[in-house]
Amino acid sequence: PTPGEYEAELTTISTLGCSNTIKKQIFIFPNVTVTPLTPYNENFETSSGGWLPNGTTGGVPKLYSWRHRNTSGVKMPSNNSSKAWIAKIADSTAYMNNEQSYVESPCFDISTLQRPMLQLRIFYDTDQGGDGAVVQVSKDDGLTWSILG
């Protein structure tokens, strides 16, 4: 399947005819190999880049304001891309209260890099002292995460 969010369903039926069904959301991410000769560069102009949003708001799962959208009406330098990942409520300049959300990147194979580096263009307009962002990395397919830096 193509990268994205899917609902997987497993149904088992016993020899006596009893059945049980389990449904679970799964995420399939692109795999990107980064080498000294093939760096990763994404400006999000033509697509979401294989990045996927997720999170909660007020304890409600799958409720988040992240969208891949036009940057018009967003406080950011005008010389940047016309599209980006933006956390804001549609037709508003705000994001949701008590939102704990994120945008997850493709899976990167950086095993050939001696000194991997990360460069991002991040613009934010948040409540000072209460909101913020971090970059996290996982080496075990998302089972555990560590803050980068």
Side-chain angles (χ1 to χ4, degrees):
T2 58
E5 181 180 359
Y6 297 90
E7 183 176 88
E9 183 176 303
L10 172 66
T11 301
T12 58
I13 302 173
S14 73
T15 56
L16 299 175
C18 298
S19 66
N20 189 28
T21 300
I22 298 172
K23 294 181 182 181
K24 183 173 180 168
Q25 294 299 116
I26 62 169
F27 298 88
I28 296 178
F29 294 92
N31 289 307
V32 178
T33 300
V34 181
T35 72
L37 297 176
T38 57
Y40 175 79
N41 185 13
E42 178 61 64
N43 65 13
F44 302 112
E45 282 293 325
T46 59
S47 75
S48 64
W51 295 57
L52 297 173
N54 204 344
T56 64
T57 298
V60 178
K62 308 299 297 168
L63 183 59
Y64 48 83
S65 60
W66 284 103
R67 300 287 183 272
H68 176 247
R69 62 179 70 181
N70 285 325
T71 58
S72 60
V74 177
K75 294 180 184 177
M76 61 187 289
S78 60
N79 61 342
N80 285 285
S81 299
S82 65
K83 290 191 176 179
W85 277 100
I86 299 170
K88 76 178 190 88
I89 303 168
D91 301 323
S92 169
T93 59
Y95 47 91
M96 292 186 268
N97 289 329
N98 300 313
E99 181 172 349
Q100 293 182 326
S101 62
Y102 54 91
V103 180
E104 193 167 346
S105 75
C107 300
F108 296 107
D109 176 356
I110 58 173
S111 60
T112 64
L113 300 180
Q114 291 183 354
R115 294 184 59 203
M117 296 183 195
L118 175 68
Q119 180 180 4
L120 302 169
R121 287 186 181 172
I122 299 174
F123 304 97
Y124 55 91
D125 180 20
T126 61
D127 294 335
Q128 188 174 3
D131 298 333
V134 297
V135 174
Q136 295 182 327
V137 295
S138 175
K139 295 190 270 183
D140 56 12
D141 202 21
L143 293 175
T144 60
W145 293 88
S146 301
I147 294 176
L148 184 66

